[in-house]
Amino acid sequence: MVETIQWIDGAVVMIDQTRLPLEEKYVTCRSYQDVATAIRDMTIRGAPAIGVAAAMGVALGVLHASETDLDARTLDTQMEEICATLAATRPTAVNLFWAIDRMKRVYASVAGQPIGEIRRRLVEEALLVREEDIAICRAIGRNGAVLVPDRKTVLTHCNAGALATAGYGTALGVIRAAVEAGKQIDVFADETRPFLQGARLTVWELQQDGIPTTLITDNMAGHFLKSGRIGCVVVGADRIAANGDVANKVGTYSVAVLAKENGVPFFVAAPISTLDLSLASGGAIPIEQRAAEEVTHVFGHRIAPEGTVVENPAFDVTPARYVAAIITEEGVARAPYEESLKKLVS
Ligand code: MRU
């Protein structure tokens, strides 16, 4: 399986997801600013992968803090600067803030210790975040595989696969685990305009595993959900509110409504770190707005007239009433989500 992000010789190495599937190129980030840029320009993307990158970015920042910054007070200021820079990259995926907070807690726990020890602990923690993420995805896969109907098609939106995590994936983890359990399924991948994560990343990833995959454009989803061919929908999430409302890649909401209309279960697969129980409902989730060029251009080629007015929200919020279940590493939550999600984290 593809290595999405690694820590190699004191640097962060990630596959460049803006170039896939045409080129398999790896980018080396040697500073926390490099990591912040890679998150912002989506060299690395997907909520859990962004979290791992942020954790490694914090470790990298402290590892390379200049010798003049090493007295305790200056290092504290430097740490704040590193965390603020990484936190300002993308607003929606809560895993980013979860990972930064986790690194802040580790930093606080080694306050006053020699710089070598502070650095060792931060690197160790960042590597742990990565290792844990792979294990969490496997557990999500196991918990979700039983829900996938055999001999049917699974529809997915965006890329919630190995590329969106440290490995294996959340939604694609459920699909992988169902296949490993012997289920005969195939996948329909929405292309996912405008960034084309479905066409470029999900199809590429599933092809490598030999899982039969069919690419459809986003506006075909309703047609196929009505056909009786789709056994379930499985998607990932960027942030889940306490009431079970789910922020995920724009277009997810339309798929969820069409799934419910046609009696197809709509499942969300996500780690506990994607829950934001501090938000009562999805209305409070910040939605990232991205550049107009993502909509007016495809691979650098203009497809809309000069001067076109564009809206480009990167995510939408699916109300909990459309979600048949939320699959996590701790188990499967069902409505009413206020209770079931709280139970999973306790
Ligand atoms: O803008 P992206 O590509 O970072 O958005 C990714 C998604 O919306 C994924 O579905 C979500 O992060 C879950 S990834 C396991």
Side-chain angles (χ1 to χ4, degrees):
M1 203 171 300
V2 60
E3 291 289 3
T4 306
I5 179 164
Q6 290 171 283
W7 179 271
I8 300 176
D9 297 336
V12 180
V13 179
M14 49 182 84
I15 193 161
D16 186 345
Q17 300 194 34
T18 64
R19 291 176 183 250
L20 285 171
L22 304 179
E23 272 179 275
E24 284 177 44
K25 236 193 106 210
Y26 286 82
V27 168
T28 302
C29 299
R30 299 189 191 282
S31 67
Y32 75 91
Q33 292 95 336
D34 287 350
V35 174
T37 302
I39 296 172
R40 191 177 297 108
D41 71 14
M42 292 171 69
T43 299
I44 189 156
R45 34 64 52 201
I50 290 171
V52 175
M56 289 187 176
V58 172
L60 205 53
V62 175
L63 198 62
H64 297 311
S66 66
E67 293 302 316
T68 51
D69 290 343
L70 292 186
D71 71 90
R73 193 125 39 90
T74 330
L75 192 65
D76 286 353
T77 314
Q78 179 75 2
M79 174 73 179
E80 273 167 37
E81 171 72 26
I82 293 165
C83 292
T85 303
L86 288 161
T89 50
R90 298 191 73 191
T92 305
V94 75
N95 307 61
L96 174 76
F97 309 100
W98 168 87
I100 292 170
D101 284 348
R102 180 166 162 168
M103 296 301 281
K104 277 183 180 169
R105 284 197 299 276
V106 169
Y107 180 79
S109 76
V110 286
Q113 298 200 18
I115 182 66
E117 178 58 12
I118 296 174
R119 286 172 165 160
R120 190 193 67 73
R121 272 296 290 124
L122 289 173
V123 173
E124 181 181 67
E125 192 70 12
L127 295 182
L128 192 62
V129 170
R130 179 181 179 277
E131 285 315 303
E132 282 177 8
D133 188 60
I134 299 171
I136 286 167
C137 286
R138 291 219 171 244
I140 291 172
R142 278 193 299 277
N143 290 340
V146 288
L147 301 176
V148 175
D150 200 6
R151 296 175 193 277
K152 283 284 203 180
T153 298
V154 180
L155 177 76
T156 190
H157 188 74
C158 194
N159 172 269
L163 288 165
T165 60
Y168 202 70
T170 56
L172 297 196
V174 169
I175 290 168
R176 287 194 164 100
V179 170
E180 285 163 18
K183 290 193 175 171
Q184 287 180 26
I185 53 171
D186 70 307
V187 176
F188 269 29
D190 283 350
E191 71 171 343
T192 318
R193 276 279 288 156
F195 211 73
L196 303 174
Q197 289 93 331
R200 297 189 302 103
L201 308 177
T202 295
V203 174
W204 180 80
E205 219 189 288
L206 292 177
Q207 272 180 355
Q208 303 220 327
D209 277 13
I211 298 175
T213 304
T214 302
L215 175 64
I216 60 171
T217 63
D218 300 333
N219 48 357
M220 295 173 188
H223 169 78
F224 286 109
L225 282 162
K226 192 158 62 115
S227 72
R229 192 164 157 185
I230 312 282
C232 70
V233 177
V234 189
V235 299
D238 288 83
R239 198 185 286 232
I240 301 173
N243 71 342
D245 289 353
V246 174
N248 190 48
K249 179 54 53 193
V250 70
T252 302
Y253 171 44
S254 323
V255 174
V257 174
L258 286 161
K260 181 144 186 156
E261 167 70 16
N262 291 287
V264 177
F266 176 88
F267 299 126
V268 174
I272 294 289
S273 55
T274 301
L275 301 182
D276 185 353
L277 302 188
S278 74
L279 302 183
S281 70
I285 297 174
I287 300 294
E288 177 183 8
Q289 306 293 323
R290 292 192 63 87
E293 287 68 33
E294 289 183 358
V295 179
T296 54
H297 291 66
V298 174
F299 285 115
H301 295 288
R302 173 175 281 285
I303 58 163
E306 292 273 1
T308 300
V309 177
V310 170
E311 291 277 353
N312 187 14
F315 302 94
D316 61 25
V317 175
T318 298
R321 66 179 176 279
Y322 295 106
V323 180
I326 297 174
I327 305 160
T328 76
E329 69 275 27
E330 296 295 340
V332 175
R334 292 192 188 261
Y337 289 106
E338 277 90 354
E339 289 158 33
S340 58
L341 291 177
K342 220 185 281 169
K343 217 178 276 172
L344 281 187
V345 299
S346 64

